[in-house]
Amino acid sequence: MPRLLHTFLLGSSLLLAACAPRPQSTTPDQPLEHTYWKLTQLGTDPVQPDNRMREPYLQLSPEQHRVSGFSGCNRLAGQYQLAGTQLSLGPLISTRMACMQGMALESRYMQALEQVRGWQITGRTLTLLDAQQQPLLQFEESHK
């Protein structure tokens, strides 16, 4: 009889554990390189381009340590250096078109990119950091 009671208690415990709510899974961290990163925040300001403007973005390609993207009006390109969580971009070059929309955003975006010294990713969000590890830019992984 004790053996039957032990088996019943063990089975009941396993059944209850299987029915217990599980913590929700989090989105796995996206890779820094080979990901299309759409700009969502510049400093503390959210970035929401209007419908006439293409979204600013950034992509890092490890084959030649090349960075490319769009800054609000012009394309940008250059080199990057990556060592662990340290990251620096530049020198950066860009096309020189004048646009009705996006020029103010572009100027701030390019200045912030030059100050990048680190990075961190949480789920689908990339944060680029300055030398004091303070957030400069925030991006969201996007499928483009």
Side-chain angles (χ1 to χ4, degrees), residues 33-79:
E33 298 169 309
H34 288 303
T35 300
Y36 181 99
W37 294 107
K38 174 179 69 172
L39 182 65
T40 58
Q41 190 167 319
L42 178 53
T44 57
D45 301 327
V47 173
Q48 296 177 336
D50 66 30
N51 5 352
R52 295 171 290 172
M53 187 175 129
R54 285 182 42 207
E55 65 190 16
Y57 73 91
L58 203 63
Q59 287 182 298
L60 285 82
S61 301
E63 294 79 18
Q64 296 179 337
H65 290 269
R66 299 281 303 160
V67 60
S68 60
F70 184 73
S71 57
C73 177
N74 290 285
R75 295 184 139 312
L76 67 92
Q79 298 289 314

Side-chain angles (χ1 to χ4, degrees), residues 79-101:
Q79 298 289 314
Y80 71 90
Q81 295 75 43
L82 177 64
T85 59
Q86 295 180 344
L87 173 68
S88 61
L89 307 171
L92 296 176
I93 58 171
S94 70
T95 55
R96 292 289 181 202
M97 293 179 15
C99 300
M100 296 292 287
Q101 302 289 325

